[in-house]
Amino acid sequence: MPDLTNRPVFGAEHHEFRALVREFLAREVLPNAEAWEQAGIMDKQVYKAAASAGVLGFSVPEEYGGLGIDDFRYNAIVAEELAIAGGVANGLALTLINDILAPYLLRLTTEEQKQRWLVPLASGDMTFAIAMSEPGAGSDLAGIRTSARRDGDDWVINGQKTFISNGILSDAVVVVCRTDPEAGHKGFSLIVVEDGAPGFERGRKLDKIGLKTQDTAELYFADCRVPAGNLLGTEGRGFMHLMENLPSERLSIAISGIAGARRTFEQTVQYAKDRQAFGQSIGSFQANRFTLAEMATELDIAQVYIDNCISRVLDGTFSAVDASKAKWWCTELHKKVVDQCLQLHGGYGYMLEYPVARDYQDVRISTILGGTTQIMKEIIGRDLGF
């Protein structure tokens, strides 16, 4: 298991929290891995257990049932520990809720909405999803066609969303809608659609290459009616609300990438010591030894950058460009490390009983979700003046 404690960015209280997260995963998640794998979805009650353990909703103020911890290092620890646990833990939507949904509900809600959504989020009684992607709009959010129009005291929503993480288990979905078709980027709004809303249907649970226990779904809205009070934030500022939260989301993905890569790498180092070929360990062959040396170096360098990013979140200097650099580089490195580690396992790496094979399936989405590698490079390139 990677030792992630000897890093100046973390203090004693963070090490205690890391131990708490590991204990929660060992107690509530890992023993259920086989059952959840067979079911293709996890038990929703795990989110109540996560909230009770302080692993979910810790940023929510105490008056709304949380711990009132406004410190991104706690988010980073959860992301790292899920990645280190690997397997079924990768399917938990804890980072989705802690890093994406909770900030929206903290920053954009009215007092009435906080009582309705934030309090049950902190207790684990409600889980949430965010619906951006559509069949014809992924990275290009400006291509979103799902519409919402006012009709008296209601919003009426029509459209379709796809690739929605936590789309089956969620009790409420933050839906990105076009509320003014003539206003361009200023024509989008965020509207919360709760379970049971008339005209709201969940489609199939999508069959994916990896992350089998994380429910990813299609969502349909056919004259779906929700109260006008379900508008999240300001009408017409939905696109800006999304942009405000994307840097921390992308950094969280990068953090998970490096932690997951370290896990796979360390398991492979041990395998390379134990596995014998031609009378010696396979790690002692120069070609393999050099491959492992390169990965060890790249992971150490990436970890330094990640910790610097975390520090910049804390002092308020972290930017969308920084997040784009971290996201594309760390996820591409994660993919590269897993691929090389599988190669070092030889035929055994192709067998699903070995963790590296599962890692190979799960890692592929990392360079796509949260913004593809190509989009990240586009953001960086534009910042350079091109």
Side-chain angles (χ1 to χ4, degrees):
M1 181 178 292
D3 180 11
L4 299 176
T5 59
N6 189 26
R7 294 151 66 191
V9 70
F10 294 114
E13 68 276 20
H14 303 110
H15 301 323
E16 293 174 4
F17 182 70
R18 187 181 295 278
L20 183 151
V21 177
R22 286 190 179 179
E23 190 277 331
F24 161 75
L25 293 172
R27 172 170 44 86
E28 300 288 348
V29 177
L30 300 184
N32 295 304
E34 184 176 349
W36 292 348
E37 286 280 2
Q38 291 179 354
I41 197 169
M42 55 187 55
D43 188 339
K44 191 175 183 177
Q45 295 302 309
V46 71
Y47 294 105
K48 284 191 177 183
S52 179
V55 177
L56 174 68
F58 46 80
S59 63
V60 176
E62 292 182 24
E63 60 264 37
Y64 300 111
L67 300 177
I69 298 174
D70 182 18
D71 182 342
F72 186 77
R73 286 171 289 192
Y74 286 79
N75 300 67
I77 288 168
V78 172
E80 287 179 343
E81 291 303 317
L82 289 174
I84 291 168
V88 70
N90 286 325
L92 278 173
L94 293 181
T95 53
L96 170 70
I97 298 173
N98 286 333
D99 301 350
I100 303 174
L101 276 308
Y104 287 136
L105 298 182
L106 282 166
R107 191 175 71 247
L108 302 176
T109 45
T110 64
E111 180 59 32
E112 184 274 334
Q113 290 174 334
K114 284 182 169 62
Q115 294 295 333
R116 187 151 49 110
W117 299 324
L118 201 57
V119 170
L121 179 150
S123 66
D125 289 320
M126 283 185 75
T127 65
F128 293 80
I130 183 164
M132 290 186 274
S133 296
E134 298 181 3
S139 297
D140 179 18
L141 293 178
I144 285 174
R145 293 290 176 263
T146 297
S147 65
R149 61 177 175 83
R150 279 295 295 268
D151 183 22
D153 293 331
D154 293 335
W155 286 103
V156 180
I157 304 172
N158 283 282
Q160 177 183 351
K161 299 291 185 178
T162 193
F163 310 141
I164 308 306
S165 300
N166 212 34
I168 300 294
L169 292 182
S170 57
D171 298 291
V173 182
V174 177
V175 183
V176 183
C177 302
R178 186 181 289 274
T179 49
D180 185 346
E182 306 300 325
H185 285 81
K186 296 181 179 179
F188 295 99
S189 302
L190 308 181
I191 299 175
V192 178
V193 178
E194 293 157 307
D195 196 23
F200 171 42
E201 291 187 9
R202 303 174 199 272
R204 62 194 175 102
K205 179 181 177 294
L206 299 172
D207 190 16
K208 302 170 296 184
I209 291 175
L211 298 177
K212 295 292 189 177
T213 56
Q214 182 194 78
D215 61 298
T216 304
E218 298 170 321
L219 305 178
Y220 299 95
F221 308 90
D223 288 334
C224 173
R225 284 186 174 270
V226 300
N230 281 26
L231 177 71
L232 186 63
T234 304
E235 181 179 349
R237 287 189 57 82
F239 191 83
M240 296 305 299
H241 293 327
L242 293 174
M243 295 303 104
E244 289 164 1
N245 204 54
L246 276 175
S248 59
E249 175 189 353
R250 288 168 175 163
L251 177 56
S252 179
I253 295 169
I255 290 168
S256 297
I258 295 306
R262 282 191 175 278
R263 168 184 174 271
T264 305
F265 171 73
E266 293 193 6
Q267 290 175 341
T268 302
V269 169
Q270 188 59 52
Y271 179 85
K273 292 177 179 178
D274 296 338
R275 175 70 170 163
Q276 298 287 309
F278 304 101
Q280 62 189 93
S281 69
I282 63 168
S284 64
F285 291 101
Q286 186 183 67
N288 294 341
R289 193 166 65 245
F290 279 16
T291 297
L292 291 166
E294 290 169 3
M295 287 190 283
T297 304
E298 289 172 321
L299 287 170
D300 281 352
I301 292 170
Q303 190 69 71
V304 171
Y305 185 74
I306 285 294
D307 288 355
N308 177 261
C309 287
I310 294 172
S311 296
R312 295 183 66 182
V313 170
L314 299 177
D315 66 22
T317 62
F318 188 66
S319 71
V321 174
D322 296 327
S324 297
K325 292 176 180 177
K327 200 275 176 183
W328 90 260
W329 178 262
C330 292
T331 55
E332 291 288 349
L333 179 59
H334 187 190
K335 188 172 68 173
K336 172 185 172 184
V337 165
V338 170
D339 184 68
Q340 291 180 330
C341 286
L342 189 149
Q343 186 71 20
L344 287 167
H345 277 75
Y348 288 106
Y350 204 64
M351 302 297 110
L352 283 172
E353 63 190 89
Y354 278 75
V356 70
R358 171 64 181 269
D359 295 344
Y360 187 80
Q361 291 179 312
D362 289 347
V363 73
R364 192 58 190 86
I365 189 60
S366 66
T367 59
I368 299 173
L369 88 169
T372 64
T373 292
Q374 290 73 24
I375 293 296
M376 297 302 97
K377 291 180 179 179
E378 182 69 18
I379 292 170
I380 299 163
R382 289 181 180 180
D383 184 66
L384 296 173
F386 297 100

